[in-house]
Amino acid sequence: MNKVITISRQYGSGGREIGEKLAKSLSIPFYDNEIITRAAKESGFAEAAFENAESKATNSLLYSIAMGMNSYGNQELGFSHLSLDDRIYLAQSDVIRKVAAEGPCVIVGRCADYILKDMPNVINVFIHASKQFRVARAIKVDNLSPNKAEESISKIDKRRANYYNYHSSEKWGVAMNYHISLDSSMIGIDGCVECIKAFVEHSCK
């Protein structure tokens, strides 16, 4: 199995757990917060800076204005004109490319599917679920109250979408941007793992 698997997910859908179980089942490395730790070490930025970058993506329009309208996409401006957040994104992107080049692995979130779009042997997965399933999971896993769970689902999904839409030319959660999209509330966490494994196996043929 010579595949890099990226997993994008709705909050509360169990995407991270699916990624961890998938990596363990395939005996390959799993990357989530490890990306931040490595990017911080290699770039010299504090880990908190990477964690704060995504949390700023609360409103797509205001975020774009605050971040310089995605200035790293303008090659004429040069690196010196980039905002701190853009530099952090590029440092994180560099690490994602490095771990993907090192061999098969599972990478959760952080626009990995878009960052690796030109790399062969990458399988992009999106995990979604019903609101009821996600609320129940947020209450159980993250120890949130029912009201807080619903609020977090809306807020975190919006943040993830804005961050992704800002840094890429694609739209977060649109099925055609992924190789496989799964409803974890219908087939369960383990069911998603098995489906992805089967997809990976067939894609290797």
Side-chain angles (χ1 to χ4, degrees):
M1 201 286 289
N2 187 31
K3 298 289 185 181
V4 172
I5 303 162
T6 74
I7 296 182
S8 302
R9 74 284 186 220
Q10 290 183 321
Y11 172 67
S13 65
R16 189 181 194 282
E17 183 180 349
I18 290 167
E20 284 184 302
K21 288 189 172 184
L22 178 65
K24 184 176 181 180
S25 179
L26 295 173
S27 299
I28 60 177
F30 171 79
Y31 296 103
D32 183 12
N33 292 330
E34 295 83 358
I35 296 290
I36 288 180
T37 300
R38 181 164 168 177
K41 183 177 180 180
E42 294 187 8
S43 68
F45 291 121
E47 288 190 33
F50 289 87
E51 295 168 353
N52 291 337
E54 184 176 302
S55 67
K56 291 181 180 179
T58 54
N59 180 283
S60 56
L61 176 59
L62 293 178
Y63 182 62
S64 295
I65 293 173
M67 300 283 277
M69 298 302 291
N70 196 355
S71 58
Y72 58 79
N74 189 334
Q75 299 299 317
E76 296 179 0
L77 291 178
F79 190 80
S80 62
H81 290 270
L82 300 183
S83 69
L84 172 62
D85 295 276
D86 285 338
R87 295 187 189 199
I88 286 172
Y89 172 78
L90 291 177
Q92 185 171 266
S93 299
D94 187 51
V95 169
I96 288 173
R97 293 189 186 94
K98 285 180 179 178
V99 299
E102 289 168 2
C105 61
V106 176
I107 305 174
V108 172
R110 311 187 194 290
C111 297
D113 59 306
Y114 181 76
I115 292 166
L116 302 176
K117 63 184 177 65
D118 296 323
M119 181 178 176
N121 298 323
V122 174
I123 293 177
N124 300 319
V125 179
F126 189 82
I127 305 296
H128 59 98
S130 67
K131 184 176 181 180
Q132 182 180 8
F133 177 90
R134 296 196 287 149
V135 167
R137 186 175 173 83
I139 292 171
K140 179 180 179 180
V141 177
D142 295 335
N143 296 314
L144 300 180
S145 67
N147 288 340
K148 185 65 176 178
E150 288 201 34
E151 179 185 337
S152 295
I153 284 173
S154 177
K155 183 181 295 184
I156 294 175
D157 277 357
K158 182 178 181 181
R159 187 177 72 197
R160 288 176 178 173
N162 289 341
Y163 181 82
Y164 184 91
N165 297 345
Y166 168 76
H167 284 296
S168 77
S169 59
E170 308 291 348
K171 291 295 183 181
W172 184 78
V174 175
M176 69 180 67
N177 294 332
Y178 308 91
H179 297 107
I180 180 173
S181 180
L182 298 171
D183 185 340
S184 57
S185 59
M186 179 171 288
I187 60 176
I189 301 298
D190 292 335
C192 286
V193 173
E194 292 306 312
C195 281
I196 298 169
K197 283 180 63 178
F199 188 90
V200 169
E201 180 182 345
H202 284 286
S203 69
C204 290
K205 294 181 179 179

